[in-house]
Amino acid sequence: MNNLPKIGSILMVALVYLLTPNYASGQYTKSEQHKIDSLKHVIDTASVDSIKVNGLFDWDNIIYVYDQDLDMKLNQRIVDLCDTNLKVIKTLEEQTFYYEYKASALNNLGILEKKDANYKQATRYYKQSLDISEVISDSAGIANSYNNLALVYEIQGNPRQSLNYLFKSNEINTLLNDNLANRVRVLNNISDALTDLGKIDSALIFNKQALQLSLKTEEPWLISESYCRKSQIYATGGYYQEALQELNPALKYAYNSNDGSQIGTVFAQYGYIYQEMGKNDSCLYFYKKSLFHRLGVSDDIDIGSSYNNVAVAFKGLEQYDSALYYFQLAEDLAIKISDKSGLAGTLSNIGDIYYEQNNYKMAQTYQERAYKLIVPAKHLEYHTIIAERLYKTYKQLNMNDKALMLHEEFIGLRDSTNRLSNIEAILEAQIETHYQDLARIDSLKKADQFALLNEEAKTEKLQKRIVLLILLWIIIAAIGLYFWFRTNQKKRLVQIELNNEVNTVNAIMEGQEQERQRIAQELHDGICSSLLAVEILLQTGDTKATSELLRKSIHDIRHLSHEITPPDLEMSDLNQLMYELVEDLSPIIQPNLTQQCIGKFDHIKMQTKISVYRMIQEAITNSLKYAQAKNIEIQLNGTPNQLSILITDDGIGFDVDEKADGIGLTNIRKRAQLLNGRMKVDSSPGHGTSMLVTLKLD
């Protein structure tokens, strides 16, 4: 019966892995593999290093989840390419490009070294990235490097140094105020560091800021994360009910985000709280739920954490076989992702189970493996725990020399931890004393200066009066100049407006006069000539020719009438007017004339319709006279607030700079200006003409 929980757990893990995408096993999807192959080709064939750097960076963004060794090689290659180019390039733009990519690659290398528990090397990479960001004045990069450095010190059990960098990062992010998510992450990291120092009230203050900003982002996963951090603060302070209450909104927002990893994080927090409360059954239930959701998104770091959590819960229930099974899963995953500090912790936990089962030889094997991994990592807290466990194991095995050596090391590590705490307390006391000394010195200086200040007071008052009088005179003069300038400016603006109105009216009158002359010429040359021919034909008795000529004269008169006054303006919208215009003109003009109206036009005022109709007539007339076009197209686009008119032809075109002041174009431009609109003409010899008129509608 004791094996049933273990069997059920194995089935759950197997089922989720079967349902997980291909990349759970470390293989790329087809789409990702295709992108990688394309990027490799670009990198291999590129003749410019900037293209290679871009390609390597895009490649790294695909593979970093799967292959840490390749991830390291790609980022190192980016750094090498940037260094090579920075030695020879001259322009500031190129230098900035390579510096930015080098800083990003160094940050990535720092993250990889941190995963391997190589904290010294990670710190070196982060500081190099920080130096570059400072050189190119990249404030966002500086803030990011500070945050990364803070996380390394936090992992190494140095929350005060971590806080130092986090406060700097927060200050820069606050000034930038362009990425709320970054600000939230840094504020949450500050609250974590303060929690580690036992400063619960201060941690809650920073968490409150993070929560307020995360709500502004409207990102559910970020809001959920902030609530989770708040729960952790309460749990660390022993306020378990308050901690559980904060997880209700955390879980709600996590489900809204549809982020399996964040849902798993919330359930893990539930498990942690019940573990602290000693409720191992509830702890195991929530840790299993956390594992289930994390397996679904294939986040190896979170999955490894969940394996360890479930194992710890089984250990608390004294179900050691199940605990060993999950610890071994965590061990395999830590080896796969090269998480040395995580592997050391897992191995030590396995050794502790064997110790509880009195299997001291197996306990020795695992504790020694853990010890070899944690010593170079310089993680003081883990080092102390593992040294103590190995000491107890040696003692049980009567390996007295090794036990004595480990006991001395354990005592030294414990004393180092205590010394750090004492040093921090001493430093705080020294800082406080320093501020008190500064205050006392300041007080003495003020006493010595009081007499001198008293003697200088009268002279200073007189000087202030003189300065005030001068300032008053300057202010009065400035006010006078201001009003003179405003009055003069208003007069000039009025004169400019009058001149514009006069010019507009003159242009319209000139256009109207030209239109009258054109109509008179058409009456004389066209219709009058036709009627004279009719009179002659009547005398000859040729009724058929007379009838044809009369019909042509009637058609010409009707066409001229339409040109003078558009038909039925009150009853028709622009769409109908354009249709009728094209229908009337198409039979009698050579080019192919088409029109297209998009939108609604029934809200356009009468005067606007007349002006639009005239502008289109003028544009068509210009095309007929000068363009030699085969096709003329009219497009209208109507919205509630704007009307756009586009007229294009495929004629011979013209030089806009030379003929921009033509009478036809001037008439159209003036009409557009009277309607609070503008006109733009695009043409060149041999490439046709397009004219766009845009009118704002009330």
Side-chain angles (χ1 to χ4, degrees):
M1 294 295 291
N2 290 336
N3 289 329
L4 288 177
K6 177 180 176 181
I7 294 170
S9 302
I10 294 171
L11 290 173
M12 180 191 76
V13 173
L15 176 63
V16 175
Y17 263 106
L18 287 172
L19 297 174
T20 304
N22 290 337
Y23 52 82
S25 60
Q27 297 178 2
Y28 307 124
T29 65
K30 288 183 178 179
S31 174
E32 288 171 335
Q33 187 61 58
H34 177 71
K35 288 179 182 177
I36 290 172
D37 293 339
S38 299
L39 288 169
K40 284 181 180 179
H41 177 73
V42 169
I43 294 166
D44 292 339
T45 58
S47 59
V48 181
D49 282 351
S50 60
I51 297 175
K52 292 182 180 180
V53 169
N54 273 318
L56 289 166
F57 208 80
D58 291 341
W59 186 2
D60 179 65
N61 284 334
I62 298 172
I63 62 90
Y64 77 96
V65 176
Y66 309 101
D67 191 337
Q68 184 165 321
D69 291 336
L70 180 58
D71 192 5
M72 184 80 74
K73 291 177 183 177
L74 291 177
N75 280 287
Q76 188 58 57
R77 189 175 172 190
I78 292 171
V79 171
D80 293 341
L81 277 172
C82 291
D83 283 337
T84 300
N85 283 275
L86 286 168
K87 292 176 183 177
V88 296
I89 58 176
K90 302 295 184 182
T91 68
L92 179 61
E93 183 180 359
E94 288 179 311
Q95 284 184 339
T96 302
F97 172 86
Y98 286 110
Y99 271 134
E100 286 178 348
Y101 272 96
K102 183 180 178 181
S104 296
L106 288 168
N107 261 325
N108 291 341
L109 289 170
I111 292 170
L112 294 168
E113 294 291 355
K114 185 180 72 173
K115 285 182 180 179
D116 281 345
N118 297 326
Y119 301 123
K120 184 176 180 180
Q121 184 66 15
T123 302
R124 187 171 74 87
Y125 281 132
Y126 287 147
K127 286 187 175 179
Q128 288 177 356
S129 178
L130 175 62
D131 291 340
I132 292 171
S133 296
E134 288 176 340
V135 166
I136 60 177
S137 301
D138 179 9
S139 299
I142 294 170
N144 186 44
S145 295
Y146 280 146
N147 188 56
N148 287 334
L149 284 165
L151 293 177
V152 173
Y153 284 110
E154 178 73 15
I155 292 172
Q156 291 179 287
N158 191 344
R160 289 193 178 277
Q161 186 64 21
S162 175
L163 274 175
N164 179 40
Y165 283 113
L166 286 171
F167 283 135
K168 291 179 180 180
S169 179
N170 183 51
E171 183 179 354
I172 294 171
N173 282 326
T174 303
L175 291 173
L176 291 175
N177 197 30
D178 61 349
N179 192 324
L180 290 181
N182 279 344
R183 291 183 62 189
V184 171
R185 279 191 284 268
V186 172
L187 287 167
N188 275 326
N189 290 338
I190 291 173
S191 70
D192 286 348
L194 290 169
T195 303
D196 291 341
L197 290 169
K199 299 182 181 296
I200 303 302
D201 292 338
S202 299
L204 286 171
I205 290 172
F206 282 95
N207 173 263
K208 182 179 179 181
Q209 295 179 34
L211 190 53
Q212 289 172 342
L213 288 176
S214 63
L215 288 167
K216 287 184 180 180
T217 67
E218 298 182 355
E219 292 286 351
W221 71 269
L222 195 59
I223 301 169
S224 173
E225 178 65 19
S226 296
Y227 275 115
C228 255
R229 301 293 184 94
K230 189 175 182 181
S231 172
Q232 179 64 32
I233 296 168
Y234 278 128
T236 304
Y239 305 106
Y240 299 122
Q241 294 305 318
E242 289 83 352
L244 288 171
Q245 288 175 5
E246 296 300 329
L247 290 180
N248 292 330
L251 188 59
K252 181 188 77 171
Y253 282 107
Y255 274 116
N256 288 343
S257 71
N258 200 28
D259 183 342
S261 179
Q262 183 58 30
I263 296 169
T265 298
V266 178
F267 281 129
Q269 182 64 18
Y270 272 112
Y272 167 76
I273 295 169
Y274 283 116
Q275 179 183 338
E276 291 295 303
M277 295 170 69
K279 297 182 178 182
N280 291 319
D281 288 330
S282 298
C283 167
L284 178 60
Y285 170 76
F286 282 108
Y287 276 154
K288 280 186 173 181
K289 292 199 72 168
S290 173
L291 174 60
F292 179 83
H293 285 283
R294 284 176 169 175
L295 282 172
V297 295
S298 303
D299 187 324
D300 286 342
I301 295 175
D302 286 345
I303 291 170
S305 174
S306 286
Y307 285 150
N308 273 306
N309 289 339
V310 174
V312 167
F314 275 122
K315 181 183 174 186
L317 292 168
E318 298 184 0
Q319 297 180 23
Y320 295 122
D321 288 345
S322 295
L324 281 173
Y325 169 74
Y326 279 99
F327 275 136
Q328 285 162 358
L329 287 176
E331 176 190 355
D332 293 340
L333 197 55
I335 292 171
K336 173 189 169 185
I337 63 175
S338 302
D339 181 5
K340 292 181 181 178
S341 58
L343 179 59
T346 300
L347 292 172
S348 182
N349 285 332
I350 294 173
D352 198 43
I353 289 180
Y354 283 120
Y355 184 91
E356 293 289 334
Q357 294 177 315
N358 299 324
N359 189 345
Y360 301 122
K361 291 299 292 181
M362 288 295 291
Q364 176 193 354
T365 300
Y366 279 96
Q367 295 296 356
E368 285 180 345
R369 286 178 62 194
Y371 182 78
K372 288 178 182 178
L373 286 169
I374 205 62
V375 169
K378 296 183 179 180
H379 193 302
L380 187 59
E381 182 182 356
Y382 281 12
H383 193 170
T384 305
I385 293 170
I386 294 170
E388 180 184 13
R389 288 176 174 177
L390 187 54
Y391 154 71
K392 290 179 179 179
T393 305
Y394 284 148
K395 189 175 179 182
Q396 290 293 335
L397 291 168
N398 294 319
M399 301 172 68
N400 296 324
D401 291 341
K402 289 187 175 182
L404 180 60
M405 181 187 69
L406 260 296
H407 180 67
E408 291 175 353
E409 182 176 338
F410 165 66
I411 296 299
L413 290 168
R414 188 180 62 187
D415 290 345
S416 296
T417 304
N418 292 334
R419 277 199 304 274
L420 281 174
S421 299
N422 292 335
I423 289 170
E424 289 172 355
I426 291 169
L427 286 173
E428 286 184 352
Q430 288 176 345
I431 291 170
E432 183 64 28
T433 303
H434 175 67
Y435 281 123
Q436 290 175 355
D437 291 342
L438 287 176
R440 188 164 52 254
I441 293 169
D442 188 54
S443 174
L444 290 172
K445 285 182 179 179
K446 287 180 180 178
D448 292 337
Q449 292 172 353
F450 180 75
L452 179 62
L453 291 173
N454 193 36
E455 289 293 328
E456 293 176 349
K458 293 181 180 179
T459 305
E460 188 176 352
K461 285 183 180 179
L462 179 61
Q463 290 175 344
K464 284 182 178 179
R465 286 179 182 176
I466 294 171
V467 171
L468 285 173
L469 287 172
I470 294 172
L471 287 174
L472 183 62
W473 183 84
I474 291 172
I475 290 170
I476 293 171
I479 291 172
L481 285 171
Y482 171 76
F483 280 108
W484 175 84
F485 176 77
R486 284 292 301 273
T487 303
N488 189 48
Q489 189 180 41
K490 284 182 179 179
K491 289 180 180 179
R492 290 178 62 192
L493 288 174
V494 169
Q495 186 61 44
I496 289 170
E497 289 178 359
L498 287 173
N499 291 339
N500 287 338
E501 289 180 3
V502 169
N503 291 336
T504 301
V505 171
N506 287 339
I508 292 173
M509 290 177 65
E510 184 178 352
Q512 289 175 342
E513 182 60 32
Q514 291 171 354
E515 184 70 6
R516 291 191 188 98
Q517 292 176 5
R518 184 182 68 81
I519 292 169
Q521 187 173 356
E522 286 191 12
L523 285 170
H524 179 271
D525 296 342
I527 296 170
C528 288
S529 298
S530 295
L531 292 176
L532 182 60
V534 167
E535 181 182 4
I536 295 170
L537 288 171
L538 284 173
Q539 293 174 1
T540 61
D542 189 348
T543 57
K544 183 177 180 181
T546 303
S547 178
E548 286 293 330
L549 200 53
L550 278 173
R551 275 197 294 271
K552 179 180 179 302
S553 299
I554 292 169
H555 184 277
D556 290 344
I557 293 170
R558 182 178 296 144
H559 172 63
L560 189 59
S561 172
H562 278 297
E563 285 190 351
I564 296 171
T565 304
D568 207 7
L569 278 172
E570 292 187 4
M571 300 301 294
S572 303
D573 63 10
L574 275 175
N575 192 349
Q576 182 65 27
L577 287 173
M578 291 302 101
Y579 175 80
E580 293 177 358
L581 177 64
V582 170
E583 285 294 308
D584 288 341
L585 291 177
S586 292
I588 62 171
I589 64 175
Q590 185 64 30
N592 179 36
L593 182 63
T594 59
Q595 61 90 22
Q596 182 182 17
C597 297
I598 303 171
K600 294 185 177 181
F601 307 95
D602 53 1
H603 62 294
I604 297 176
K605 296 179 180 178
M606 172 73 69
Q607 189 59 43
T608 303
K609 284 197 284 188
I610 294 174
S611 296
V612 169
Y613 192 89
R614 294 302 185 203
M615 285 189 280
I616 293 172
Q617 278 187 321
E618 187 74 49
I620 294 172
T621 300
N622 277 356
S623 291
L624 293 173
K625 285 184 177 179
Y626 310 113
Q628 302 177 23
K630 294 181 180 179
N631 297 283
I632 301 174
E633 184 178 358
I634 306 165
Q635 294 183 36
L636 270 68
N637 193 338
T639 67
N641 300 317
Q642 183 173 290
L643 175 63
S644 298
I645 308 157
L646 177 64
I647 303 169
T648 59
D649 67 47
D650 56 359
I652 60 174
F654 63 93
D655 189 328
V656 176
D657 294 332
E658 291 183 2
K659 298 184 179 181
D661 296 330
I663 294 172
L665 292 178
T666 300
N667 288 340
I668 296 172
R669 185 180 294 108
K670 293 300 182 181
R671 287 186 184 276
Q673 289 173 353
L674 284 175
L675 295 174
N676 194 24
R678 64 180 186 275
M679 180 194 77
K680 181 180 179 182
V681 178
D682 184 16
S683 182
S684 61
H687 294 90
T689 302
S690 65
M691 181 180 71
L692 175 64
V693 178
T694 305
L695 306 177
K696 291 182 180 179
L697 304 176
D698 297 332

